[in-house]
Amino acid sequence: MAPRSAWKGYLKISLVAVPVNAYVGSNSEDGGVKFNQLHRDCNSRIRYIKTCPVHGEIANNEIVSGYEYEKDHFVVIDPAELKTLRPEAERAISVETFVPPEAIDPVYLAGKTYYLLPDGKTGEKAYQLISEAMEAEGLHAVGKMMITTKEHVVRLRPADGLLVVDLLEYASGVRTPEFFKKEFEDDLVDTHPTAQETKLTRQLVSSLSEDTIDLGRFTDTYTAQVKELIDAKIAGKELVSAVAAEPPPVVNLMDALRESMARSAKAARPAKRKSPSETKRAAPAAKSAAKRKKSG
């Protein structure tokens, strides 16, 4: 079944406005195992009751939103007042600039992705032109997007003919590498590695490198084990406890690098091929054997 759109609005670039639908990029059905809180004595599910210290339990329609501007002092904000700040017509992804992909540090990625698709025939050509132009120029876009009542800064990027939106964190909410370098400068010291240590470390990294990677090979083994545990308990069985993993031993750096390189080389070693000289020596012998077999 096709996913439902999570957002509907416009992609705006200067005077160009493209009607689009946004679809959530993550698969909510693969979110792991969720547990409920139960009473230990009877296994009844715990209920959350909204109460007022003055009036006791209250209904949802009696609850309003308030901002605490001083200790125990609130100003009430009506949702209708918030809507007047951003009219419904402003549901748009407003592009402000285009930048090279490397201009956006991954530290700003908020972890939420949407896929944009044109909403109806009127937006199809503009959508294609924008996607192909960004792909050809090797550029990403940065702009803003309203989702419910919150304004987000976003990155727009082309991907296989699609336009993809990644939510970004505001700079004020991100701790950059520069922040940590300043805060922990005493922990980042120059240890003056030797030339041999540097060489072996680079060889180790190179030996484990791949040109491409299929992320499908990484699976959530812990969630699978949790589901196995649940199925076993439902069936009245008990699983055998796993043996606790031992912490890795702290060994001499050079010894560890050499052993790592040896293991990497052994894992990647192909079947031994015959050298050209061995092939030449083997050819006459093979011909003689075939000749004897034929004459026999």
Side-chain angles (χ1 to χ4, degrees):
M1 187 173 71
R4 295 174 58 185
S5 64
W7 184 92
K8 181 184 180 77
Y10 293 88
L11 171 61
K12 292 173 61 178
I13 304 176
S14 189
L15 298 180
V16 178
V18 186
V20 291
N21 287 317
Y23 298 84
V24 178
S26 58
N27 182 7
S28 59
E29 296 179 359
D30 192 27
V33 178
K34 296 179 175 61
F35 293 98
N36 297 121
Q37 290 187 333
L38 308 175
H39 185 203
R40 181 182 58 191
D41 295 338
C42 66
N43 281 353
S44 295
R45 187 169 176 176
I46 300 300
R47 295 176 57 213
Y48 291 92
I49 302 174
K50 296 178 180 179
T51 62
C52 168
V54 177
H55 301 94
E57 185 176 351
I58 58 174
N60 284 336
N61 61 5
E62 299 178 87
I63 299 174
V64 297
S65 298
Y67 176 79
E68 187 176 22
Y69 61 93
E70 289 181 7
K71 179 66 175 176
D72 295 327
H73 286 76
F74 300 86
V75 58
V76 175
I77 303 295
D78 192 292
E81 294 175 309
L82 294 176
K83 284 187 177 181
T84 62
L85 303 178
R86 278 300 173 100
E88 190 69 19
E90 285 199 23
R91 287 180 63 86
I93 302 166
S94 300
V95 171
E96 296 186 8
T97 185
F98 290 90
V99 296
E102 62 272 14
I104 301 174
D105 192 317
V107 73
Y108 289 95
L109 293 174
K112 188 78 171 180
T113 296
Y114 293 90
Y115 286 87
L116 294 186
L117 287 170
D119 183 13
K121 291 287 185 182
T122 56
E124 290 178 351
K125 178 169 285 189
Y127 180 97
Q128 179 183 354
L129 286 169
I130 293 169
S131 175
E132 291 180 352
M134 292 176 66
E135 188 80 51
E137 297 295 326
L139 293 173
H140 290 178
V142 178
K144 287 187 174 182
M145 175 184 186
M146 280 291 294
I147 302 177
T148 60
T149 60
K150 187 174 181 181
E151 185 179 59
H152 299 267
V153 59
V154 299
R155 172 181 70 178
L156 180 71
R157 57 186 170 90
D160 295 329
L162 291 168
L163 288 173
V164 185
V165 172
D166 301 306
L167 300 193
L168 302 178
E169 300 283 1
Y170 284 96
S172 59
V174 172
R175 288 178 173 174
T176 62
E178 289 75 16
F179 167 84
F180 285 97
K181 287 181 71 173
K182 182 179 179 181
E183 289 293 315
F184 300 97
E185 59 182 344
D186 291 340
D187 297 324
L188 297 170
V189 297
D190 186 356
T191 59
H192 304 289
T194 66
Q196 183 66 4
E197 290 170 337
T198 299
K199 179 181 178 182
L200 276 175
T201 305
R202 293 184 63 175
Q203 286 178 342
L204 174 62
V205 172
S206 178
S207 68
L208 296 174
S209 299
E210 302 177 50
D211 292 331
T212 60
I213 187 168
D214 177 15
L215 291 180
R217 79 190 198 201
F218 297 96
T219 57
D220 187 351
T221 55
Y222 175 73
T223 296
Q225 290 172 329
V226 172
K227 291 179 179 178
E228 185 180 353
L229 170 64
I230 291 171
D231 292 340
K233 292 184 75 68
I234 292 173
K237 301 176 182 178
E238 290 292 336
L239 292 179
V240 178
S241 299
V243 179
E246 293 290 334
V250 179
V251 296
N252 177 272
L253 175 62
M254 290 297 289
D255 292 340
L257 287 171
R258 291 192 183 99
E259 178 63 22
S260 297
M261 280 297 299
R263 292 185 182 184
S264 176
K266 184 177 180 181
R269 186 178 298 144
K272 185 178 179 182
R273 295 180 179 178
K274 291 183 178 180
S275 66
S277 58
E278 289 176 324
T279 304
K280 288 179 180 179
R281 289 197 301 268
K287 288 181 179 179
S288 299
K291 189 175 181 179
R292 287 195 301 270
K293 185 176 180 180
K294 186 176 181 180
S295 60

